[in-house]
Amino acid sequence: MTVPALAEAGRSVLVVLDASGSMNARLPEGQTRLEAAKAAVGDLVGSLAPDTRLALRVYGHQVDPDQKNCQDSELVAGFAPVSEGKAALLDKAAGLKARGYTPITSRCSLQRRTLPRNRAPSALWCW
């Protein structure tokens, strides 16, 4: 996987990870969608400059899918420079289990509001 360079000073990157039940589906290679997404997050985080501010929001991971809870979202790792928060963010991602509903409509608007407004260019990565 080729990840674009995001090494601009002061950049903020919000990674949004789908951990809903559909992420338990197996890909042709045998891994689950969530396993592939976690690997992609690791690749992305590994490509970022140490001063890039990074955060992780997860949705669909807390509530039973039968409840169809459109508010199931959590900022599991707040914005911190990669040099300080990389390990904690990757640990949080590694421990996720796919289980809930996909509240995609409400999550898209929330993700944009999560990005810092007073910083240099921001990026939003969704899996």
Side-chain angles (χ1 to χ4, degrees):
M1 171 181 179
T2 303
V3 179
L6 296 174
E8 297 172 29
R11 180 175 290 265
S12 295
V13 176
L14 172 63
V15 176
V16 181
L17 187 59
D18 178 355
S20 65
S22 65
M23 296 297 282
N24 285 319
R26 295 238 172 243
L27 298 172
E29 300 81 24
Q31 65 184 350
T32 66
R33 291 175 180 171
L34 184 59
E35 290 166 343
K38 288 177 183 181
V41 169
D43 290 346
L44 173 67
V45 171
S47 75
L48 298 174
D51 64 340
T52 302
R53 292 172 33 84
L54 179 65
L56 174 63
R57 178 171 290 281
V58 181
Y59 66 87
H61 67 296
Q62 302 174 95
V63 180
D64 188 276
D66 294 336
Q67 294 180 19
K68 296 184 179 176
N69 184 336
C70 289
Q71 302 307 312
D72 185 1
S73 175
E74 179 183 14
L75 186 65
V76 297
F79 282 98
V82 170
S83 60
E84 297 172 19
K86 176 181 176 178
L89 184 144
L90 292 175
D91 284 346
K92 295 276 188 179
L96 291 170
K97 305 284 187 233
R99 68 173 288 205
Y101 184 67
T102 306
I104 194 69
T105 302
S106 64
R107 295 310 95 202
C108 288
S109 61
L110 178 61
Q111 304 338 326
R112 185 66 184 123
R113 290 193 314 261
T114 302
L115 287 168
R117 295 181 192 271
N118 59 344
R119 305 279 304 172
S122 299
L124 175 63
W125 289 82
C126 299
W127 281 279

